[in-house]
Amino acid sequence: MLGHLGLKSYAGLCVVRFLLGISEAPVSAACITYIGNWYTKDEQPFRFLCFASGQGGLYILFSLVAYGVAHAGGSLLHWKYIYLILAFVSLILGTMFYFMMPALPQNAKFLTPEERVIAAKRVAGNMTGIKTIQWQNYQVWHAIKDPKTYLLCLYMFFSMIPNGGLTNFNTLVLKSFNFDSYTTLLVNIPWSVFSAGQMWVWAATGLYFKNQRVAGLIIPMVIAIIGMAIVYGTENSEGVNKWGRVFAYWMINSCSAAFPFIMNLTGQLVSGHTKQSFTNAVVLISFAVGNIVGPFCFNASDAPRYSKGLATIMGTFAACIIIGCMLGGVIFYENKTRNKKHGDPSKDENLKLEGIINGLQDKTDLENPHFRFVY
């Protein structure tokens, strides 16, 4: 972040942004692993939704900060003050997290020895493997031949195309509604409310309803399609209420609410340390590629309304809905087949114990017949 303050050329900007991307890349995967080390499968979605909502919440806060900075004086360019603030906040929070948050329950000084054992036993029931540095080549092959790996990657890729496109061009699209630059900053705040706020709604309902992860991949995309269809369909219509179109545009960012669900499923559908690491890597590569592709959906020749870009992104929403349904179907089929062939661990404590032992032995979900896939 601080590197932005000394920029003097476009080449320097590219280098700093590249280094920033490298620094940010492990965050989501690390969060999945961290939450998995502390919480059971039923407890994880709520925690990860809270984590993911922080991005939208921070955007809301810093939109107000940016509006204030834009009207403030000072010797630096206005945008440099924002990077300066973000840099110091990141340094402070990062340092606090490093020294105050233990990596594993057995390292937690605030727990008694008995509580550490209980905490470790709680998460053993996840059957997703143990913390190990031993690389198992065969588990990579298990990931490659698993159809869920490809569905997770495809969903992440298509869901990130809108993110890469709309995140970079949302202010340009809003300007097509004839707002000035300063008003656009404020009008854009509810854009994040639709993502962060919806994540909190999902988190609240998750306290009462189980197995809503696949629904979390589909429903936000349906809301986003409705918003996109309204914006796209009223593009050249006379007499259309401008604020109605703006509200519909805010609805599009509902697609961001699906991100914590796809990341959470990536961590929970896979057992075996190496298989988990490999799957996380390829899914995050799909995340990066989707964000790279997204901005190319918006061509300068299509300005100021970017009709072709919006139509393309509507297609990606539809693709995500189809892939989400396919993933849910695969999970349902595999669970039903395993229950029929090996018995239901949720109804037999002996089968559940065998599954836990297999997980502690770093077995993949393909090796562990008592592993059941969440949905």
Side-chain angles (χ1 to χ4, degrees):
M1 289 288 186
L2 288 175
H4 289 79
L5 303 182
L7 291 176
K8 297 183 181 301
S9 66
Y10 178 74
L13 174 64
C14 290
V15 171
V16 170
R17 297 298 293 180
F18 176 77
L19 294 175
L20 181 62
I22 291 176
S23 301
E24 293 177 344
V27 173
S28 294
C31 182
I32 291 174
T33 303
Y34 191 86
I35 291 175
N37 288 336
W38 284 87
Y39 300 102
T40 65
K41 285 185 177 181
D42 289 338
E43 296 168 341
Q44 289 177 29
F46 176 83
R47 274 75 183 179
F48 197 78
L49 280 162
C50 292
F51 161 77
S53 68
Q55 181 178 7
L58 186 66
Y59 191 92
I60 294 171
L61 174 63
F62 267 85
S63 290
L64 296 173
V65 172
Y67 185 82
V69 168
H71 290 81
S75 58
L76 294 177
L77 295 174
H78 292 156
W79 62 268
K80 288 190 176 183
Y81 284 108
I82 295 179
Y83 278 105
L84 185 64
I85 295 170
L86 287 173
F88 278 107
V89 171
S90 299
L91 286 171
I92 293 171
L93 292 179
T95 302
M96 291 175 60
F97 193 94
Y98 181 81
F99 286 104
M100 297 177 63
M101 301 296 290
L104 295 167
Q106 53 263 40
N107 304 131
K109 295 180 180 179
F110 54 81
L111 297 178
T112 65
E114 294 78 13
E115 289 172 338
R116 293 171 194 168
V117 173
I118 294 172
K121 286 183 176 180
R122 273 173 24 88
V123 296
N126 293 338
M127 304 184 198
T128 51
I130 57 175
K131 185 176 177 64
T132 175
I133 60 174
Q134 185 176 2
W135 185 265
Q136 304 281 358
N137 289 327
Y138 79 91
Q139 292 193 10
V140 176
W141 170 242
H142 279 203
I144 293 173
K145 69 179 183 179
D146 190 340
K148 295 187 293 297
T149 302
Y150 299 96
L151 291 173
L152 290 169
C153 287
L154 285 173
Y155 188 96
M156 182 62 84
F157 171 72
F158 282 112
S159 66
M160 286 302 110
I161 289 178
N163 182 63
L166 294 176
T167 298
N168 289 287
F169 288 89
N170 58 355
T171 54
L172 293 178
V173 175
L174 278 176
K175 280 185 178 179
S176 71
F177 296 140
N178 298 319
F179 295 119
D180 61 54
S181 298
Y182 294 129
T183 305
T184 296
L185 281 172
L186 298 180
V187 171
N188 211 28
I189 291 177
W191 169 264
S192 293
V193 172
F194 257 93
S195 59
Q198 192 175 159
M199 289 178 195
W200 279 103
V201 171
W202 280 102
T205 58
L207 296 175
Y208 302 97
F209 302 99
K210 306 294 183 183
N211 297 320
Q212 59 177 14
R213 297 167 183 83
V214 173
L217 301 181
I218 298 171
I219 295 176
M221 295 300 176
V222 173
I223 297 174
I225 281 184
I226 294 173
M228 182 70 78
I230 293 173
V231 172
Y232 187 69
T234 58
E235 179 185 3
N236 296 312
S237 301
E238 295 293 336
V240 175
N241 185 283
K242 179 173 71 173
W243 286 103
R245 292 194 74 217
V246 171
F247 185 85
Y249 185 76
W250 292 336
M251 290 174 62
I252 298 172
N253 203 36
S254 293
C255 64
S256 298
F259 175 75
F261 289 104
I262 191 64
M263 292 300 296
N264 189 244
L265 281 170
T266 301
Q268 294 190 345
L269 293 179
V270 184
S271 177
H273 172 72
T274 303
K275 186 182 179 186
Q276 269 198 342
S277 299
F278 181 84
T279 304
N280 280 334
V282 295
V283 169
L284 288 174
I285 289 172
S286 300
F287 168 91
V289 174
N291 275 285
I292 292 171
V293 171
F296 290 98
C297 295
F298 291 80
N299 297 315
S301 60
D302 198 29
R305 300 190 181 277
Y306 301 100
S307 302
K308 294 178 182 178
L310 297 179
T312 300
I313 287 175
M314 188 185 295
T316 66
F317 290 150
C320 286
I321 293 173
I322 294 171
I323 296 168
C325 291
M326 291 174 63
L327 182 61
V330 169
I331 293 171
F332 179 81
Y333 173 79
E334 290 196 11
N335 282 345
K336 185 176 181 180
T337 301
R338 289 185 176 215
N339 284 342
K340 185 177 181 179
K341 186 175 181 179
H342 303 289
D344 189 349
S346 65
K347 299 178 181 178
D348 190 324
E349 286 298 323
N350 291 327
L351 295 178
K352 183 177 180 179
L353 180 59
E354 289 179 22
I356 292 173
I357 293 173
N358 287 334
L360 292 173
Q361 293 175 343
D362 199 27
K363 301 294 184 181
T364 70
D365 48 278
L366 297 185
E367 295 176 292
N368 187 353
H370 306 306
F371 185 94
R372 294 297 178 269
F373 304 97
V374 296
Y375 58 90

PDB file of all heavy atoms in Angstrom, residues 76 157 176 192 197:
ATOM      1  N   LEU A  76      -0.408  16.241  -0.553  1.00  0.00           N
ATOM      2  CA  LEU A  76      -0.441  15.051  -1.393  1.00  0.00           C
ATOM      3  C   LEU A  76      -1.682  15.053  -2.279  1.00  0.00           C
ATOM      4  O   LEU A  76      -2.680  15.733  -1.986  1.00  0.00           O
ATOM      5  CB  LEU A  76      -0.450  13.787  -0.524  1.00  0.00           C
ATOM      6  CG  LEU A  76       0.800  13.495   0.317  1.00  0.00           C
ATOM      7  CD1 LEU A  76       0.560  12.249   1.169  1.00  0.00           C
ATOM      8  CD2 LEU A  76       2.024  13.306  -0.560  1.00  0.00           C
ATOM      9  N   PHE A 157     -14.763 -19.051 -11.863  1.00  0.00           N
ATOM     10  CA  PHE A 157     -14.375 -18.289 -13.057  1.00  0.00           C
ATOM     11  C   PHE A 157     -15.522 -17.408 -13.541  1.00  0.00           C
ATOM     12  O   PHE A 157     -15.350 -16.193 -13.726  1.00  0.00           O
ATOM     13  CB  PHE A 157     -13.938 -19.246 -14.161  1.00  0.00           C
ATOM     14  CG  PHE A 157     -13.730 -18.586 -15.493  1.00  0.00           C
ATOM     15  CD1 PHE A 157     -12.643 -17.763 -15.715  1.00  0.00           C
ATOM     16  CD2 PHE A 157     -14.642 -18.778 -16.529  1.00  0.00           C
ATOM     17  CE1 PHE A 157     -12.457 -17.134 -16.946  1.00  0.00           C
ATOM     18  CE2 PHE A 157     -14.468 -18.171 -17.759  1.00  0.00           C
ATOM     19  CZ  PHE A 157     -13.368 -17.346 -17.965  1.00  0.00           C
ATOM     20  N   SER A 176     -23.204   6.957 -16.387  1.00  0.00           N
ATOM     21  CA  SER A 176     -24.151   6.982 -17.502  1.00  0.00           C
ATOM     22  C   SER A 176     -25.544   7.383 -17.040  1.00  0.00           C
ATOM     23  O   SER A 176     -26.411   7.697 -17.836  1.00  0.00           O
ATOM     24  CB  SER A 176     -24.208   5.610 -18.195  1.00  0.00           C
ATOM     25  OG  SER A 176     -24.857   4.640 -17.387  1.00  0.00           O
ATOM     26  N   SER A 192     -22.375  -1.810  -2.261  1.00  0.00           N
ATOM     27  CA  SER A 192     -21.750  -2.729  -1.311  1.00  0.00           C
ATOM     28  C   SER A 192     -22.738  -3.215  -0.260  1.00  0.00           C
ATOM     29  O   SER A 192     -22.571  -4.310   0.288  1.00  0.00           O
ATOM     30  CB  SER A 192     -20.555  -2.055  -0.631  1.00  0.00           C
ATOM     31  OG  SER A 192     -19.523  -1.817  -1.564  1.00  0.00           O
ATOM     32  N   GLY A 197     -24.607  -6.638   3.110  1.00  0.00           N
ATOM     33  CA  GLY A 197     -25.875  -6.801   3.822  1.00  0.00           C
ATOM     34  C   GLY A 197     -26.500  -8.159   3.571  1.00  0.00           C
ATOM     35  O   GLY A 197     -27.030  -8.798   4.490  1.00  0.00           O
TER      36      GLY A 197
END
